[in-house]
Each structure stands twice: as C-alpha cells, then as structure tokens.
Amino acid sequence: MSFHDPELHSRGESRFVDDLQIPEGTLHAAVVTSSLSHGILEELSTAKAEAAPGVRAVLTAVDIPGMNQIGTIIMDEPLLASNEVSFIGEPLAVVIADTPALAHQAAELVRPQIRKLQSITDPREAFARGMLIAPPVTFCIGDLDKSWEACDLIVKGRADSGGQEHLYLETQATLAIPMENGSLRLHSGTQGPTYVQRIAARVLGIPMNMVEVDVTRLGGAFGGKEDQATPWAVIAALGAYVTGRPVKLVLDRGEDMRLTGKRHPYSSDYRLGLSSEGRLLVWEVTYYQNGGAASDLSTAILERTLFHTTNAYAIPSVSATGICCRTHLPPNTAFRGFGGPQAMFVLECALRKAADELGMTAEEIQALNLLRTGDIFPYGMEYKGDEVERSWLRLDELHDLKAVRKSNEQFNLSGGIYRRGMAVMPVCFGISFTNTSLNQASALVHVYTDGSIGVSTGAVEMGQGVNAKMAAVAARVFGVDITRVKVETTNTTRTANTSPTAASSAADMNGNAVRIACGNILNRLLQVAGTHFGLGDPNHLELRSESIVRNGAATDLGWEVLVNTAYLERVNLSSHVHYSTPGIHFNRDTNQGVPFAYHVAGAALTEVTLDRLRGTYTVDAVRIVHDCGDSIAPLIDRGQIEGGLLQGIGWMTIEDLKYDTASRALLTDSLATYKVPDIYSTPADVEVEFLECHSENAGVFNSKAVGEPPFMYGIGAYFALLDALGSDDAERRRNEPMTAPMTAERLLGILIREKRKDS
Amino acid sequence: MLSFILNRDFLSVEYPMGSPVLDLLRMDPDLKGTRRGCGEGDCGACTVLLGERTGSLIRYRAVNSCILPAGELAGRHLLTIEGLNRSAGLTAVQSHIVDQSASQCGFCTPGIVVSLTAYLMGTLKPKAEEAVRALGGNICRCTGYSSLGRAAENLCASIPESPSSDPCSIEHLRHLVNSGVLPDWLPEVAKALPDHSQEVPTAAASDELIVAGGTDLMAAEPDAMNGIPVRFLSRDPSLAAISLDNGICSIGAAATVSDLMLSQAAVAVDGLEEALHLISSKQIRNRATVGGNIVNASPIGDVSVIFLVFDTMLSISGRFGTREVPLREFHTGYKEMDLLPGEMIRKLSLVTPVSNAGFSFEKVSMRKHLDIASVNSAALISAVNGTVVNASISAGGVAPIPLHLARTSDMLEGMSISSETAIAASRSAMDEVSPIDDVRGSAAYKRNLLGRLVLAHFLKLFPRSIDPERLLT
Ligand SMILES: Cc1cc2nc3c(=O)[nH]c(=O)nc-3n(C[C@H](O)[C@H](O)[C@H](O)COP(=O)(O)OP(=O)(O)OC[C@H]3O[C@@H](n4cnc5c(N)ncnc54)[C@H](O)[C@@H]3O)c2cc1C
Ligand code: FES
Ligand code: FES
C-alpha cells in the first residue's frame, strides 16, 4: 500500500473536491454577482429565479442567520452584499438547485438593480481621495537627514508592478454536508481550514464545534486559497444549513478568474542615496498597494513588503511607508511571496538606475552591499546568517559573473538583431508569520496495533509536498519504513485552531510538532522494550530499520511486536503535540523586534536573449544557488525552487491582467487571454545548487522553508531584459517609471522609441 | 445511441452528440482522473486518447475531452488515464514522473501522463525534445516543467526503438506493452474497433451544423450543438485527404493541422511544418481542421494567413453543385464570408512554390506557444538574380479579416532585394492595415509589429542581402 501522493496523482487516483463522490440528494449552488464595480444595491428581485425549474432556494443577505461578515483581520467584507456593492463579481445572492446547470440558469434570472457610483481602481487616486483600508505604516531606522547629506548620488523614480492571477488548476470548490443536529461537514479546498470553520460558524450563528472542515489536498493554491476559499465554502455551508441537503459549489474557470482577488499591484515612489563607490546609504520608499475593495490579508501583505524593503542588502538608513489603498476591484490577496516580491522589484529598479548613473554594473553595486552577519534589518532584527553572501560568492564561483557579462558584450557586438542580457537576483526572505500569534501548529500521531501509523497535522497539502515531509519525519523518528506512515486529511476535529498553510512555514512548524509527537511515543516504546530486555533504563536502546537496536547491535524485537506488546501493556500509542516557534516577537508600536525564526537566502543568475526586431525574447538560463538548510526532501525542494522561479518569471513577463477601461471588468478572464508559463517558456537551462548548510535552523531536522523565496528569483528576468536593452534604454529609464510585466508589447514600444530617437 | 469502446469496455449510451466527452467522463465515479481545468482546450488537464482504425492501422491521438463532442466517439476507442493504469504499480511514463517528483499538486498529472503516452504511441524512436514538445498543451501551474523535462529524458532513454515500421501498427502497440507503457489488453481491444474507412457518410442535409474539429465551436459556444442536427466531417475520410500531384497540392478541408504537418505538403513547402507548429497545442492540432480555421474566419487565423500567400482556391459544394472561390476573396468582412447556408468547403488547392520562392511565417503572441497571435504574417517571395519576381504577403490581427496585403505584394514585384526594399515593404504593409485596440494589444503595437514582421520575412529569406542594423534604424 502506498500513500505516496505522486503515485496517486500519476494514476489519476488522487481526489480533489470535485472528484468526491457526492451524497444522494446533493444540491448545487450558483452565485449571483455584481456586474458593476461600485454602486448601491437598490433592489434584488429573486422571484423569477425561485420559480425556475429545479430551484430549491435563492438566498440573499437577509437569509443569513448569523453575521453577514467574512473579514479576518478587519471586519469589512460581507458574504452577500446588501447595500453598497464595491467590485465586479461581489456575491449578491446564491441559487441552490438540483443541478449545476439549473442553478446557473436560474442565477441569470436574478436581476439586481444597482445605482451606479463612481469607481476608483488606481491606488494613487484612491489615496488622494482618502480611500484607505488602514492607516499608513512606516518602518524606519537610522538617521535619515544625516545620511542624505552624506550621499554622492541620489536617484529617484517610480516603479509599478502588476497583479497576478493564481490560476491554481483546481478552481475554488466546497462540498457542504449537513450532519445531525444542525452540524456541518465541509470538504473545502482551503489553505485555512480553521478560517473556514470560524467564519462559517460566524455566518451561520453556530459554535465552531458544529462545523468540521476537512481538506484532503488542493490542486494548487499559491496563496489564492488562504483567505479566498472562505466565501465559497461559507456559501455552500449556508446553502446546506438552510436546505438541510448537501450543497456543492465549484466555480468554473471564468468565475474563478473574475470573482477572486489576485496578487496586489503596487505603484511605488523611491529615493536611493549612495556613496560614489556605490555603497547604499539611505533608502526611502512609499508603496501604494492596490488592496481592492476589502481588506482581506492586504495589511499583513503590505507589512511583509516593509519587512523586505531592503531585501538582501544592508542599508543603514531606511524609511519605508506602506499605504493600503481601497479600490473597486475584487479584494487582492496572498500570493507566493506575500508582498515580498513587490518590495524587491522596487529596490532592484533603484539599483539599476544607480548603476546607470555611476557607470557601474548592477552586480558591482549588489555585491558591495550584500547583507553580512550582524547587519541590522530596518525592523531591528540582526541578520544571524551568512547565506546571503555565501550564495552570491558560490554563484560567482560556479559561473563567473564577470565572464558572463564579458561574453555577452562580445556577443552583442555582432549579434545582429539579437542581444544578450543578464541579471543577478539575490534574495533574503524572512521565515515565520509576521503575525506572531499564527506561529503555532499541532500534530496528532497514532500508532495502530498492527504497526501502521497515522499522522494528522494542521498543514494542508497543496503540491508543496508537506505530506511527504511529514511522513519522512515520522518514519525517521520511529526508524520504520515510510510506507507505514499515512498522512491523514487536514481536519479541524483532529487538529484544532490551526494556522493557515502559508508563509512557507507549514513544514517547519507542523514537522516539528510531528517530530516531538513521534518522539513521545518512541520514548514510551523504548520503555516497553527496556522492560522486555529486563533493563531498568532504555538508554542504550534505539529503533532503527524497524527493530530495536541494543548498544548498537540489532535485536529480534521488531516494530510490530513491540507496538503490540506496548498495547497489551496499556501504553498510550498516541500523542498530540502543540508547537510554537520559539524566540519571535514584534512590537507594532515601534515596528521593531525579531519577527522571523530565520532567513532563507540565495542568488540566481538569469540570462536572456532579446530579439530587437520582433520585441520578443527567450530566457535561456537561470542558475541558482539556494539555501535549503539540510533538506529533508531534496527533490521536492528542487521542484519548489524551479516552480517558484517560473511563476516569478511569469509575473515579470507574460502575465498581464487587463481590465476594460470603462467598466473595469476583467478582460483577461480565461486561459485563452491570460497566459501563464508553459513548458516552452521554461528556460532551457535551469541549474539549482543547494548551498552547503553551516547553520542550525529552526526547521525540522535542520531544514529550511522553501515555498516562497524562489519565486523572487523570477524578478531577474525583468532586469536581464533591461540589461539586454542596454544603454539605448538608459534615457527612458532615467525619465520614466519602470513597469512590470515586461510584455512583448512593452518591449517593442521601448525598441521602437529607441529607434526613433536615434534617427 | 452512442457506441464506442471506453478503455476495455464496449459501451452503448444515450448521450447528446454535441455534449463534451469530459462531462460524460466526470459523471462516472470511476473516471475522475480526467479533470476540468478550463473547459476550453487551453490547459490539457482533460487530455484523453482517441483511437481510430483504418484497415489494419490504428491511430491514437491526444485530444482535449472538454471540447470533444461526444458524437465523435462513435466507433472509436476512448482511452483515459484509468485505461492506461495497470492493476498494480506504475506504467513507464508514470514511474519516470514519480521518480523525478514531477508531480506537485497532481491536478495536471493525469493529462500529462496521457500526453506523454500519446507521444510514445505516435513515434517509433522516442526523443526527449519531441516528448517535451508533446506537453505544449499541458499547463502545470505548480510548475513542474523542469522536472517533467528530466522525466521525459529518462523515459525516452528507457524505451527501445520500435521494431515496427509504422506507429499505427498493432506491432508498435505490442512493443509499447512490452516496454511497460501500455496495458497488455490494449492491442486486442484496438483490433476490435470498426474500420473507419468503411464508414458510409450520410448525405448532407442543409440544416445541419457542420462540425469539423469542433475546437472553435465547442470553445466559443459550448451549447451550439444542443438539439440540432450535426454533421461530423470526420466521418468522411475523403474530406481529410491530402495529395500532391504535378505541383498541385490538394488539401481536404477536414484535414487536421496535425495531418497537414505529417503530409507531403509539409515536405513540399520549406518552413510550413515549423509554421504549423506555432498553432495552438498538440491536442488542438490533432482536432483543428484547415477548413474550420478558414470558416471560423478569425482575423488572426493562422491557417488562413498561411494559405493566403499561396494562390489557394477553395472548392465549395452545396445544393447547386460545386464552385471555386479564391481564398483571397473568401472573407468579406468581420466573420463574414462567401459561404451560403448549406454550403461547405471540401478542399483547398494550391500550386506548390517554385524552387526560387521562399516561404516565411511569423507570429508574435503574448506566449510563444498555445496562444492566439497579436499579429501574424506569412510571405512567399520568389527572386531571380536579386530581383523580386513575385511576392505575396499576408497578415492577421490587423484588419477585420485575415488579410492578403495586395498593395504591398504588388509593389514588390521588380524591386531589388535589399534592406531598403524590406523597409519600403514594411512601411507599405503598415499603411495597408487597420488594426484595433483589444486584449491582444493596442492598435499602435499591432501596426508596428506587423512592420517588424515584414522586415523579419526579408531577413529570414534573404539573410545575405539584408543588413539587420539597417532594419533597426
Ligand atoms: C485552445 C485553442 C487554441 C487555439 N489556437 C489557435 C491558434 O493558435 N491559431 C489559430 O488560427 N486558431 C486557433 N484556435 C482556433 C481554432 O481551433 C482553429 O481556428 C481551428 O482550425 C478551427 O477548426 P475546427 O475544425 O476545430 O473548426 P470547428 O470548430 O469544427 O468549426 C468552426 C466553424 O467552421 C465551420 N466549418 C468547419 N469546417 C467547415 C467546412 N469544411 N465547410 C464549412 N464550414 C465549416 C463550422 O460549422 C463552425 O462554424 C484555437 C482554438 C482553441 C480552442
Ligand atoms: S479542461 Fe482545460 S483543456 Fe480541457
Ligand atoms: S502539479 Fe499542480 S498544476 Fe501541475
């Protein structure tokens, strides 16, 4: 029996929500949403829909038994709008019918009357009108005035980065099943089972213990199911609660793209001061974050932007301000990197500008300013690692950055329409939820009398391989074959009050909980073995390769017999362990503290070839040195690095969200119009080297978190393209904002303007 | 009643002919491995194999079940991931994917297994590079492409060359059974398929909706076939025939893009296969037909733009017999064309280019593959002693119809091949078109891009006479 996910996946036997066998009598929900981006809902007539064939119920805000409120950090988002509507796609009503088709047909019959109000979708305009989700926040360190005076060069400018659709291949989905006595079981595709549980209970007006949320796995999430799985799960729960029947809601692709939030677009102003030799002295930046219509996780994401404002560089004086702007777009939300990529993009823009002015290469400035052990981050934490510099040096050692630049210059002399470019992207990313209270996890481990093992944790499997890691931890502690370990679904009844699987930290925290829980059981088993061998003290016993080892020598006491013996002796073969990351704290009054357990670092060299005639390009190679600590699953970690990289390249190049200029409706609402990287977009050469581990890490068995940091290597693609554009583009760079993504259209625009200027 | 073979089982079901096969599969609790990621042919999560027997040859092709009308199943073999599975253990394709950890969330993985299996079924000597290309229609957002590349490499290295001479032979299927790619029952089941070439096409009725590949119909209007009579062109093999005779190439309107890529026509025109490779994905090319592309009349239709530069004639048949219409006169306005109700295109004929003519196709889209062009353009230019004898340039995405750039083409005649001529052609082309702003780019971008693509034709066809620096300034 294998519980190995990839085997199930490759056989098509892994089950996602839409694959679950539905109970008899299951009904289907369809959501009626706003087609205007801002207005007042004056009337919502449901009579026609109610009379349509197969319709069991049409629910609006008045049918909500509890609170009509799904906000998590700030309570500013109704489940179903009842007065003001503030984005296209905002849910207004829910139709419950016998089939999905009947539900959708009837949904068309609900006619909302909305009085149109002016809508704002630009964050700077929202800021100018005082439309803020929260007051601005500033992280500040050093003596700014003095630092500005010491500068030989000051560059300033504006940098804009676009949104990004998650495009997890499995769309948002929930199956809600009523249980006895008004309780509910929700099979939801969520990263945050506890969020869904808490908010379903809130909306239905019932205690949390009446809502069980069960998650087998997600078909991709990337942050898009951290907060935004909740509305759909709660809508299904509401339908099941009201009708007493199971209710299933699966968004189709177009709905999913239109109704859910994206990565936050940012528009930022910066000022960077340097010494003449290229040392970074002072950094001042204001980030206008396009939060969308409700807070969602925006404030937390913006805070992480501030945490990563200096990325992998040491800058003594910093003032970084984040402004969370409310606009009339679907609430933007978590996406791999959680505000970090947006911050790093801005600083890299500033570095390129400074390099132009100083006549240095970007790498020269970068290398000069890398974080070194003991440097202080703008939030007051000391950088304890040395991996930022080590990974850069290793990258240089492996690939000789100067030689690459030189060979590109050589090529470009005779490249015809082609021109090569390169960029190095160093990354330093803090690991832990920046909301300290979320840094807790739990595990429940059972050893059954036949020797099989069940592991439940708060972590949700979504392709990042957390289940494989949990199984590896259990097998390692017990010294048994990994095939004995089954990682169970993530279930709020088995593990309560869980943090969402996010911030790259699920394997660290849940893995440590599993390690300790297995250790507890192991100790009891060794006691039993000690008694078996007539020893008072089991100190010289170990479990290895499925048997007890005594003083280093194998015995004939095997795992199964040992477990059964323990059971007969009435020894507890289960353990429930709670884990909280030690040593972290953060003061929101001073914005100083130690918010992270540790940092993950690495560096990537990106090489591109630009076709100056067509305005197209290929990303030829990305060479990465990455710090995984002591990886407990190198193949999985490598997959995370390569996958994150490609998503990052997509964000910087081809992923371009377009909206109708008048209505603000999303135009790129299908895979036909919104393009994500395909196998041809993958650089021909992706090299990954794991940095040798010298440190002690908070991750399980000295490993490190891996989910988010590699995404930011993708930023290198943008700057490699700028590099390929070369000095011809310097004047534009000096005078105009830098804007991502660098689409083919934008590239050709730059190339053609360059031509006109010359002629 | 729809009769076909589903994996190992002969099946007869009542099911609407025009409904997607994916919906049929997903109703069955035992067939949940075929997944819906988009419902319009753009992700490949729903990929299945469709097998068809012609005489002793059986051809399997990967197709998107979400836009495959159920009526196409009749008399054919539908093979899903469940059909490929062995009762225990993994197939060769599966085990290489697992070994490389090339499956992350796993939602896309069955489609990828099917696509790679389809590749092996269609080739005698697997090559990693081609296997990767076979995944062009499978989106993995997680994204395991690098590890899939490694899996494909190991996979291809592990499969010995087929002893058979034809990938459609039973012998080749047996070879794949022995190589651990296919289940052992498959060759016998495949042999039991009815012979497709023996199918008797029903007489055409004028009220029928013509379905060729259905890729456009099903993706654009999923309900188009609801409750109306449908005529599946694939039932008439003569409509897919491609022949080359005395320099005249005849292409059946129902030939798929894949058929065309494997045909003599592709051999006769240098660069044609490469051009066709830029159309959609493997799965779509296996269904999308030449005629469908022309009648779909999209202003960026790649097939239309390609064939516009050849003096292509369309044979159109209807109630009153057959008539010939030049492709250049066929499209009359946005989605308007010279085709009466009840009429259909039967074939295209064109004269293959003379030896001194060069063909070039250029397409720029947001993503290079599986994407609709922002602008595409084809050129066929013959030159003697450095002088243009004949030129024909077409462009898509810059007018309400796929456009033959008559003025620019005529202008070029007699001009010498030089950078100046290329620039003049480029300027003329930009003046000849009227692009609009849309999701694929602004009007200004498309006009500029066309200019650049015309330059690219010249640079590609006459590298020795054109100075790239001159084109850029
Ligand atoms: C995911 C995806 C990607 C695509 N990518 C591309 C691309 O890269 N480039 C491109 O050009 N197109 C692309 N298309 C569009 C489309 O698939 C092609 O235009 C295709 O060639 C249409 O052919 P078909 O046989 O599938 O047409 P169908 O859908 O069967 O038919 C289209 C229309 O033509 C009519 N018709 C078909 N054949 C005939 C005939 N012989 N006589 C009269 N009427 C006929 C049908 O009644 C229907 O109205 C893509 C489509 C999808 C879904
Ligand atoms: S579901 Fe995406 S291609 Fe069929
Ligand atoms: S593994 Fe998740 S989409 Fe491919």
Side-chain angles (χ1 to χ4, degrees), chain A residues 722-755:
Chain A
L722 277 197
D723 185 49
L725 284 166
S727 56
D728 297 342
D729 186 42
E731 191 180 319
R732 184 194 65 90
R733 281 203 292 264
R734 189 172 303 128
N735 301 319
E736 289 178 33
M738 293 200 203
T739 306
M742 186 63 92
T743 59
E745 177 165 1
R746 197 158 270 142
L747 266 178
L748 192 67
I750 293 171
L751 286 162
I752 284 190
R753 209 163 15 170
E754 160 204 329
K755 183 199 88 181

Coordinates of all heavy atoms in Angstrom, one line a residue, chain A residues 722-755:
Chain A
L722 N 16.1 44.3 -19.2 CA 16.6 45.7 -19.2 C 18.0 45.7 -19.6 O 18.5 46.6 -20.4 CB 16.4 46.3 -17.8 CG 15.1 46.9 -17.4 CD1 15.3 47.7 -16.1 CD2 14.4 47.7 -18.4
D723 N 18.8 44.8 -19.1 CA 20.2 44.7 -19.4 C 20.4 44.5 -20.9 O 21.3 45.1 -21.5 CB 20.9 43.6 -18.6 CG 22.4 43.5 -18.8 OD1 23.0 44.6 -18.6 OD2 22.9 42.4 -19.1
A724 N 19.6 43.7 -21.5 CA 19.7 43.4 -22.9 C 19.3 44.7 -23.7 O 19.9 44.9 -24.8 CB 18.8 42.2 -23.4
L725 N 18.4 45.4 -23.3 CA 18.0 46.7 -23.9 C 19.2 47.6 -23.9 O 19.4 48.4 -24.8 CB 16.8 47.3 -23.3 CG 15.5 46.7 -23.6 CD1 14.4 47.2 -22.6 CD2 15.1 47.0 -25.0
G726 N 20.0 47.5 -22.8 CA 21.3 48.2 -22.8 C 21.2 49.7 -22.7 O 20.2 50.3 -22.2
S727 N 22.3 50.3 -23.1 CA 22.4 51.8 -22.9 C 21.4 52.5 -23.7 O 21.1 53.7 -23.3 CB 23.8 52.2 -23.2 OG 24.1 51.8 -24.5
D728 N 20.9 52.0 -24.8 CA 19.9 52.7 -25.6 C 18.7 53.0 -24.8 O 18.0 53.9 -25.1 CB 19.5 51.8 -26.7 CG 20.6 51.4 -27.7 OD1 21.6 52.1 -27.6 OD2 20.5 50.4 -28.4
D729 N 18.5 52.2 -23.7 CA 17.3 52.4 -22.9 C 17.5 53.3 -21.7 O 16.6 53.6 -21.0 CB 16.8 51.0 -22.5 CG 15.4 51.1 -21.8 OD1 14.6 51.9 -22.3 OD2 15.3 50.4 -20.8
A730 N 18.8 53.8 -21.6 CA 19.1 54.5 -20.3 C 18.3 55.8 -20.1 O 17.9 56.1 -19.0 CB 20.6 54.7 -20.3
E731 N 18.1 56.5 -21.2 CA 17.4 57.7 -21.1 C 16.0 57.5 -20.7 O 15.5 58.2 -19.8 CB 17.5 58.5 -22.4 CG 17.0 59.9 -22.2 CD 17.0 60.7 -23.5 OE1 18.0 60.5 -24.3 OE2 16.1 61.4 -23.8
R732 N 15.3 56.5 -21.3 CA 14.0 56.2 -20.8 C 14.0 55.8 -19.4 O 13.1 56.3 -18.6 CB 13.4 55.1 -21.7 CG 11.9 54.8 -21.4 CD 11.5 53.4 -22.0 NE 12.3 52.3 -21.3 CZ 11.8 51.7 -20.3 NH1 10.7 52.0 -19.7 NH2 12.6 50.7 -19.8
R733 N 14.9 55.0 -19.0 CA 15.0 54.6 -17.6 C 15.1 55.8 -16.7 O 14.6 55.8 -15.6 CB 16.2 53.6 -17.4 CG 15.9 52.2 -17.9 CD 16.8 51.2 -17.2 NE 18.2 51.3 -17.6 CZ 18.8 50.6 -18.5 NH1 18.1 49.7 -19.2 NH2 20.1 50.8 -18.8
R734 N 15.9 56.7 -17.1 CA 16.2 57.9 -16.3 C 14.9 58.7 -16.1 O 14.6 59.2 -15.0 CB 17.2 58.8 -16.9 CG 17.7 59.9 -16.0 CD 18.9 60.6 -16.5 NE 20.1 59.7 -16.8 CZ 20.7 59.7 -18.0 NH1 20.3 60.5 -19.0 NH2 21.7 58.9 -18.2
N735 N 14.0 58.7 -17.1 CA 12.9 59.7 -17.0 C 11.6 59.0 -16.8 O 10.6 59.7 -16.5 CB 12.8 60.4 -18.4 CG 14.1 61.2 -18.6 OD1 14.7 61.8 -17.6 ND2 14.6 61.2 -19.8
E736 N 11.5 57.8 -17.0 CA 10.1 57.2 -17.0 C 10.0 56.1 -15.9 O 11.1 55.5 -15.5 CB 9.8 56.6 -18.3 CG 9.5 57.7 -19.4 CD 9.2 57.1 -20.7 OE1 8.6 56.0 -20.8 OE2 9.6 57.7 -21.7
P737 N 8.8 55.8 -15.4 CA 8.7 54.7 -14.4 C 9.1 53.4 -15.0 O 9.0 53.2 -16.2 CB 7.2 54.7 -14.1 CG 6.6 55.9 -14.7 CD 7.6 56.5 -15.8
M738 N 9.6 52.5 -14.2 CA 9.8 51.2 -14.6 C 8.5 50.4 -14.3 O 8.0 50.4 -13.2 CB 11.0 50.6 -13.9 CG 12.3 51.3 -14.3 SD 13.7 50.2 -13.9 CE 14.9 51.5 -13.8
T739 N 8.1 49.6 -15.3 CA 6.8 49.0 -15.2 C 6.9 47.5 -15.5 O 7.5 47.2 -16.6 CB 5.8 49.7 -16.1 OG1 5.8 51.1 -15.9 CG2 4.4 49.1 -15.9
A740 N 6.3 46.7 -14.7 CA 6.3 45.3 -15.0 C 4.8 44.9 -15.1 O 4.0 45.5 -14.5 CB 6.9 44.5 -13.8
P741 N 4.5 43.9 -15.9 CA 5.4 43.0 -16.6 C 5.9 43.6 -17.8 O 5.4 44.5 -18.4 CB 4.4 41.8 -16.9 CG 3.1 42.4 -17.1 CD 3.0 43.5 -16.0
M742 N 7.1 43.0 -18.2 CA 7.7 43.4 -19.5 C 7.2 42.5 -20.6 O 7.7 41.5 -21.0 CB 9.3 43.2 -19.3 CG 10.0 43.8 -20.5 SD 9.9 45.5 -20.8 CE 11.2 46.1 -19.8
T743 N 6.0 42.9 -21.1 CA 5.4 42.2 -22.1 C 6.0 42.4 -23.5 O 6.8 43.4 -23.6 CB 3.9 42.6 -22.3 OG1 3.8 44.0 -22.6 CG2 3.1 42.3 -21.0
A744 N 5.7 41.6 -24.4 CA 6.3 41.8 -25.8 C 5.8 43.2 -26.3 O 6.6 43.9 -27.0 CB 5.8 40.7 -26.7
E745 N 4.6 43.6 -26.0 CA 4.1 44.9 -26.4 C 5.0 46.0 -25.8 O 5.4 47.0 -26.5 CB 2.7 45.1 -26.0 CG 2.1 46.4 -26.4 CD 0.6 46.5 -26.4 OE1 -0.1 45.5 -26.1 OE2 0.1 47.6 -26.8
R746 N 5.3 45.9 -24.6 CA 6.0 47.0 -23.9 C 7.5 47.0 -24.5 O 8.0 48.0 -24.7 CB 6.1 46.7 -22.4 CG 6.5 47.9 -21.6 CD 6.0 47.7 -20.1 NE 4.7 48.3 -19.9 CZ 3.7 47.7 -19.1 NH1 4.0 46.6 -18.5 NH2 2.6 48.3 -19.0
L747 N 8.0 45.8 -24.7 CA 9.4 45.7 -25.2 C 9.5 46.4 -26.6 O 10.4 47.2 -26.8 CB 9.8 44.3 -25.4 CG 10.6 43.6 -24.2 CD1 10.8 42.2 -24.5 CD2 11.9 44.4 -24.0
L748 N 8.5 46.1 -27.4 CA 8.6 46.6 -28.8 C 8.4 48.1 -28.7 O 9.1 48.9 -29.4 CB 7.6 46.0 -29.7 CG 7.8 46.4 -31.2 CD1 9.1 45.7 -31.7 CD2 6.7 45.9 -32.1
G749 N 7.6 48.6 -27.8 CA 7.4 50.0 -27.6 C 8.7 50.7 -27.3 O 9.1 51.7 -27.8
I750 N 9.5 50.1 -26.4 CA 10.8 50.6 -26.0 C 11.7 50.6 -27.2 O 12.4 51.6 -27.5 CB 11.3 49.8 -24.8 CG1 10.5 50.0 -23.6 CG2 12.8 50.2 -24.6 CD1 10.9 49.1 -22.4
L751 N 11.7 49.5 -27.9 CA 12.7 49.4 -29.0 C 12.4 50.3 -30.1 O 13.3 50.9 -30.7 CB 12.6 47.9 -29.6 CG 13.3 46.9 -28.7 CD1 12.8 45.5 -29.0 CD2 14.8 47.0 -28.8
I752 N 11.1 50.6 -30.4 CA 10.8 51.4 -31.5 C 11.0 52.9 -31.1 O 11.5 53.7 -32.0 CB 9.3 51.2 -31.9 CG1 9.3 49.9 -32.7 CG2 8.8 52.3 -32.7 CD1 8.1 49.5 -33.4
R753 N 10.8 53.2 -29.9 CA 11.1 54.6 -29.4 C 12.6 54.9 -29.5 O 13.0 55.9 -29.9 CB 10.6 54.8 -28.0 CG 10.2 56.3 -27.8 CD 9.4 56.5 -26.7 NE 9.5 55.2 -25.8 CZ 9.0 55.2 -24.6 NH1 8.4 56.3 -24.1 NH2 9.0 54.1 -23.9
E754 N 13.3 53.8 -29.1 CA 14.8 53.9 -29.2 C 15.2 54.2 -30.6 O 16.1 55.0 -30.9 CB 15.3 52.6 -28.7 CG 16.8 52.3 -29.1 CD 17.1 50.8 -29.0 OE1 16.5 50.1 -28.2 OE2 17.9 50.4 -29.9
K755 N 14.6 53.6 -31.6 CA 14.9 53.8 -33.0 C 14.6 55.2 -33.4 O 15.4 55.9 -34.0 CB 14.1 52.8 -33.8 CG 14.5 52.8 -35.3 CD 13.4 52.2 -36.1 CE 12.3 53.3 -36.5 NZ 11.3 52.7 -37.3

